[in-house]
């Protein structure tokens, strides 16, 4: 194949008299909408740099394609096919001088399916004792007891709950 003459965008080819486009001739502005189909894209030609932010949505993921090893956090795991919810927090508390016990109400950001979920509570000072008084789908009541002769009046309540998501 011998090139006889060249214009800015094409060259004449001697063997068939046709035109061959030079590199960088076709630009995005020359393509009609939806003119490039999947068969025109070379296998493995699309890389992560070609994907716009948030372009992959949940409906595009194959079932069971994401595993705990793919996650940047440790998920709550329980009985298969039962969606679980984990919540936790810290609440400061103060005793008045005359009280030896107080109740702290924890409003849950997201309600559980029912009152059958796990709650663990502890206090920042080992002198205080925390116990669950009431557990409802949208709130927890924790009783905190301090020993009678203790002068410590302030502390913090740490709590965590795990249960079935409300549907």
């Amino acid at each position: 194949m011998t090139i006889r003459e060249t214009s800015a965008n094409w060259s004449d080819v001697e063997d068939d008299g046709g035109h061959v486009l030079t590199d960088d001739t076709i630009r995005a502005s020359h393509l009609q909408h939806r003119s490039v189909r999947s068969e025109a894209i070379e296998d493995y030609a699309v890389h992560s740099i070609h994907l716009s932010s948030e372009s992959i949505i949940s409906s595009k993921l194959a079932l069971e394609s994401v595993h705990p090893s793919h996650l940047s956090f440790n998920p709550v795991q329980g009985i298969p096919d039962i969606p679980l919810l984990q919540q936790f927090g810290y609440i400061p508390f103060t005793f008045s001088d005359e009280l030896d016990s107080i109740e702290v109400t924890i409003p849950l950001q997201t309600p559980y399916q029912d009152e059958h979920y796990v709650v663990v509570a502890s206090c920042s000072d080992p002198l205080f004792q925390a116990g669950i008084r009431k557990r409802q789908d949208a709130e927890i009541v924790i009783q905190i007891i301090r020993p009678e002769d203790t002068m410590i009046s302030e502390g913090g309540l740490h709590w965590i709950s795990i249960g079935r998501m409300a549907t």
Side-chain angles (χ1 to χ4, degrees), residues 48-162:
S48 61
I49 195 169
H50 300 111
L51 301 175
S52 62
S53 295
E54 299 181 25
S55 63
I56 304 296
I57 57 175
S58 60
S59 65
K60 302 302 180 193
L61 295 175
L63 290 177
E64 299 183 22
S65 64
V66 178
H67 300 281
S69 62
H70 295 110
L71 302 176
S72 62
F73 61 92
N74 210 0
V76 177
Q77 295 182 345
I79 301 169
D81 301 323
I82 297 178
L84 295 177
L85 172 66
Q86 174 181 301
Q87 301 180 73
F88 60 92
Y90 172 83
I91 299 176
F93 60 83
T94 304
F95 280 89
S96 61
D97 291 338
E98 65 276 355
L99 293 177
D100 291 329
S101 74
I102 58 172
E103 288 187 351
V104 176
T105 300
I106 303 168
L108 297 172
Q109 185 175 1
T110 305
Y112 288 104
Q113 181 176 335
D114 53 34
E115 71 280 357
H116 302 291
Y117 55 91
V118 176
V119 178
V120 177
S122 66
C123 295
S124 57
D125 191 306
L127 289 175
F128 298 118
Q129 295 179 1
I132 302 161
R133 294 280 288 169
K134 185 168 58 171
R135 185 179 327 157
Q136 295 178 325
D137 63 340
E139 76 175 16
I140 305 164
V141 178
I142 306 288
Q143 181 181 34
I144 301 171
I145 301 172
R146 71 173 172 174
E148 285 183 27
D149 297 330
T150 301
M151 299 305 295
I152 299 173
S153 61
E154 295 182 349
L157 174 67
H158 300 270
W159 64 273
I160 184 168
S161 61
I162 300 174

